[in-house]
Amino acid sequence: MSVFRFVIPGRLPGLNEVNAANRSNIYAGASQKKAETKRCALACAALPDFDRPGGIKPPVVVRITWHEADWRRDFDNITSAKKFILDGLVKSRKLENDSRRFVAGGSDILPPPDKKNPRIEVEIEEVCA
């Protein structure tokens, strides 16, 4: 059983920002989704590939620690961005799919804010099936 880790610098848009982009015009939401998914895919580039020996083997559990810069955003607003992270793992071919056969579960942790270094720490743990 292996654990793979990577960090996404800064923060990702929350649900309120995603909804605002979707309502602003017909292309803004799609553009935001594409950009943030790509950003997450690039952040996990150092992970081993899913389909190579020694790569990530499903099913996995994904633990995300959200280091925000302040207390302003709510838990549900922040954690909705896991959509970008999981889609980024698939886009980068680190996971074959983000369906329940491949991602068995996960958890979200929001420690006190880190004003100097906001980031998102992602841990992917293989689960013995």
Side-chain angles (χ1 to χ4, degrees):
M1 217 172 15
S2 298
V3 177
F4 303 92
R5 294 176 176 85
F6 67 96
V7 175
I8 303 164
R11 66 177 214 164
L12 292 168
L15 187 58
N16 293 341
E17 293 155 299
V18 170
N19 287 341
N22 285 328
R23 290 180 181 136
S24 68
N25 78 42
I26 60 174
Y27 302 108
S31 177
Q32 180 186 56
K33 166 81 166 65
K34 183 177 179 181
E36 297 301 341
T37 298
K38 182 178 181 180
R39 182 174 153 214
C40 292
L42 291 172
C44 69
L47 292 175
D49 288 340
F50 172 83
D51 53 354
R52 293 188 183 161
I56 301 171
K57 306 283 188 242
V60 299
V61 171
V62 180
R63 280 189 284 287
I64 305 172
T65 305
W66 308 87
H67 295 274
E68 290 279 299
D70 53 44
W71 295 97
R72 293 181 192 171
R73 299 196 305 168
D74 294 337
F75 174 83
D76 56 344
N77 191 23
I78 296 166
T79 59
S80 67
K82 74 180 74 173
K83 173 73 174 158
F84 301 129
I85 296 169
L86 293 175
D87 288 353
L89 285 163
V90 173
K91 180 178 177 64
S92 66
R93 297 176 47 196
K94 303 306 176 185
L95 282 179
E96 185 176 338
N97 198 311
D98 60 355
S99 70
R100 289 178 25 207
R101 283 195 174 137
F102 296 85
V103 180
S107 62
D108 296 291
I109 301 164
L110 276 86
D114 184 347
K115 196 173 242 180
K116 294 180 181 176
N117 186 20
R119 67 198 178 281
I120 302 156
E121 297 173 353
V122 181
E123 288 185 356
I124 303 164
E125 182 178 358
E126 296 172 335
V127 178
C128 295

